[in-house]
Every structure is written in C-alpha cells, then in structure tokens.
Amino acid sequence: MYTKMYKNLSEQVEKILIPYARFNQMMAKNVEELTGLSLASMQARCDIGNAHLHALGEVKDLSSLAAFNAQQLESLLALSRRCVEDCSQFTEIARAFRADIEMLMTENAARSRTGS
C-alpha cells in the first residue's frame, strides 16, 4: 500500500518538476551564452581601446598627429560595427530563448489538457 502510494506521489512530483528543470536548463544555457557574448564584446572593446592608446603614444609630430586622427576615425567605425554586431547577437539569443520558452509553455499546456 505504501509502496504504491509512494510510487504515485513520486510520479506526480516528477511530472510537476520536469517543466521547472527544463526551464532552469534553458535559463542556464541563455545566461551562459549572454556571459560569453558579453565577455567577448568587452575584450574586443578593450583591444580597440588599447590599440588606440598605443597609437596615441606614437604621436611625436604633426604628421603622426594627422595619422592618429585618421586612425581614430577608423577606430570609431570599428567600435560602432562591433556594437551593431553585438546588438544583433543579443537579439538572436533573446529570440531563441523566447522561442524555447514558448515551446515549453505550449508543451505544458498540452500536457495539462491531456492530463498526462
């Protein structure tokens, strides 16, 4: 009697917890992707800034100042391109996460309607 009751309770708890476990897995994957992207983005920005500082250290006369100013524009363009790339990657991660959550909700709604 207790064995059957324990088995039924265990099955019910498992059915309840499966969606939470899947949600937690999705959330962990999403956080991991966002963290990786953020770190890569920060590294790229640091590299651009360091290159800019090294170039500034090379300014010794008027011609090198003119070259530095031209390079500064290129650095700003590279930075803006990187920002656009980062935004599109963040958007893609958000879209994928939303699609995963919607799929999970649809499956849970179907499961609750069928009672299994």
Side-chain angles (χ1 to χ4, degrees):
M1 177 174 134
Y2 289 114
T3 305
K4 185 177 179 182
M5 195 168 65
Y6 178 74
K7 183 180 177 184
N8 287 339
L9 178 64
S10 179
E11 288 173 358
Q12 290 174 356
V13 168
E14 185 176 320
K15 287 178 185 177
I16 291 170
L17 293 181
I18 285 174
Y20 292 105
R22 288 189 57 210
F23 174 78
N24 287 336
Q25 290 169 350
M26 287 179 199
M27 194 66 156
K29 178 184 166 223
N30 192 46
V31 167
E32 184 179 345
E33 288 176 357
L34 289 173
T35 302
L37 179 59
S38 295
L39 289 173
S41 178
M42 189 183 327
Q43 182 64 48
R45 287 186 174 91
C46 287
D47 291 344
I48 291 170
N50 285 336
H52 182 73
L53 287 174
H54 286 292
L56 182 60
E58 298 297 319
V59 172
K60 295 183 174 100
D61 56 12
L62 243 116
S63 63
S64 62
L65 179 62
F68 171 75
N69 284 336
Q71 186 181 12
Q72 192 172 16
L73 179 61
E74 292 173 19
S75 294
L76 288 173
L77 290 173
L79 185 61
S80 78
R81 277 193 302 272
R82 181 62 195 215
C83 287
V84 169
E85 290 171 10
D86 291 345
C87 287
S88 66
Q89 288 177 336
F90 278 119
T91 301
E92 185 55 39
I93 290 171
R95 281 186 189 143
F97 183 68
R98 180 180 177 184
D100 289 344
I101 294 298
E102 287 175 348
M103 183 179 65
L104 179 64
M105 291 172 58
T106 302
E107 288 172 2
N108 289 336
R111 188 178 297 127
S112 67
R113 281 193 294 269
T114 61
S116 57

